[in-house]
Amino acid sequence: MALIVVFLLGIGNFAMNRAVMDSGHPLLGEVPWFYHALGRRFALVVEFLLLLASLLFVAEGTPWVAGAYAAYSLLNAIAAWLVLTGRV
């Protein structure tokens, strides 16, 4: 069950990442130089590696990682909401 929850949270994180990147928010111009050099791929690779590591840990029997990934997803959702609503 935890594996499914982490996978679904990962889908949500990718969707939030895409929405923020497509928003054209001025804050995106403040990201470090290496982000601009690699484009959006850098953020997607980092997101994928976090999801993959979480799925592997949960599959190996470490269910607390699902809670940690859920907390990360909640923080990600708050940040996306702040950016998309123009509060930041």
Side-chain angles (χ1 to χ4, degrees), residues 8-23:
L8 292 176
L9 287 172
I11 292 172
N13 283 330
F14 275 101
M16 287 183 281
N17 190 325
R18 175 70 187 259
V20 168
M21 292 301 153
D22 289 345
S23 72

Side-chain angles (χ1 to χ4, degrees), residues 5 42 59 77 79-80 84:
V5 169
F42 182 73
L84 294 174

Side-chain angles (χ1 to χ4, degrees), residues 9-73:
L9 287 172
I11 292 172
N13 283 330
F14 275 101
M16 287 183 281
N17 190 325
R18 175 70 187 259
V20 168
M21 292 301 153
D22 289 345
S23 72
H25 194 277
L27 188 62
L28 294 174
E30 301 293 322
V31 294
W33 65 269
F34 58 84
Y35 182 82
H36 290 295
L38 298 174
R40 289 185 186 173
R41 285 175 271 180
F42 182 73
L44 293 177
V45 167
V46 170
E47 192 71 51
F48 174 74
L49 291 176
L50 283 169
L51 176 59
L52 180 64
S54 299
L55 288 171
L56 289 173
F57 274 111
V58 169
E60 287 296 316
T62 341
W64 63 267
V65 174
Y69 194 75
Y72 163 74
S73 297

